[in-house]
Amino acid sequence: MAAPVLGGAERAPRLEGAGDYAGWRVRMDAYLQARGAQNAHVRSVSRAEFCARRAAVDAWDAEDDDRAFGRNGGAADLNDALERTSKAGASTGGTKKESGTHPEKTQEGERRRHARALMTRSDMAYGTLLSALPEALQQQTQHTIERGHAYGLWNWLETKFQNTERDNV
């Protein structure tokens, strides 16, 4: 499956003001979905749950970074394993696989990949939403919405403008 792409030449619809919200919401939803958001902005995730997910993904990324640079069983151990494998293969006349399963092929690896993809979609949708807001609204979100929490921002906008929508009906 290809990675979601929320960029592109077409600009995201801009929210011009409270009176524009109802139409903007429909246009923005279509824009995000067409660019791979897969409902990252409408799937209900509490702030606490989002923060827990972000912390988990950040911890996994730190583990992967450590492994890549030879810390905590990383590249140095991998090079030793490859050397042992190649020597074992040469002595038996064939190749010998290391015992165990590659971490990316495990259920845990699949779960982590999926969680990272969810967070990536949320990050991209959040950035698109935030950039579509007037500066005054962007400033209001700074201490209210966690960075990357697309649902949090979408829901905040819904709550902020729902009374305005009702007044205009």
Side-chain angles (χ1 to χ4, degrees):
M1 180 199 306
V5 178
L6 291 179
E10 185 183 341
R11 291 196 60 176
R14 301 262 319 153
L15 178 60
E16 299 302 330
D20 181 43
Y21 177 73
W24 173 85
R25 181 186 178 281
V26 172
R27 291 188 309 275
M28 180 56 86
D29 182 54
Y31 181 88
L32 290 170
Q33 297 295 41
R35 283 152 185 80
Q38 297 180 4
N39 294 319
H41 58 298
V42 296
R43 189 171 292 119
S44 180
V45 178
S46 71
R47 182 181 186 150
E49 180 64 23
F50 177 81
C51 289
R53 290 176 181 188
R54 169 70 67 204
V57 169
D58 288 349
W60 299 335
D61 288 344
E63 286 174 14
D64 290 349
D65 290 349
D66 286 346
R67 274 193 216 94
F69 290 103
R71 298 183 294 256
N72 300 328
D77 291 339
L78 177 61
N79 289 335
D80 290 344
L82 289 172
E83 189 174 323
R84 284 192 308 272
T85 301
S86 109
K87 286 180 182 175
S91 67
T92 61
T95 59
K96 181 179 176 182
K97 279 189 161 181
E98 285 287 310
S99 62
T101 305
H102 193 278
E104 290 184 9
K105 305 244 188 240
T106 65
Q107 283 184 330
E108 176 67 12
E110 183 59 33
R111 187 177 69 80
R112 286 183 179 197
R113 269 192 305 285
H114 184 72
R116 283 180 171 123
L118 289 171
M119 294 305 290
T120 298
R121 287 194 301 269
S122 185
D123 286 340
M124 287 189 287
Y126 173 88
T128 301
L129 286 167
L130 190 65
S131 68
L133 301 180
E135 183 143 349
L137 282 178
Q138 289 180 18
Q139 289 175 356
Q140 290 177 38
T141 68
Q142 285 180 342
H143 303 291
T144 309
I145 312 297
E146 294 295 323
R147 180 189 54 82
H149 190 191
Y151 172 77
L153 181 52
W154 187 260
N155 189 56
W156 181 82
L157 289 165
E158 286 274 311
T159 302
K160 182 166 188 62
F161 291 112
Q162 70 184 355
N163 292 335
T164 306
E165 262 186 57
R166 278 193 224 129
D167 291 346
N168 291 335
V169 174

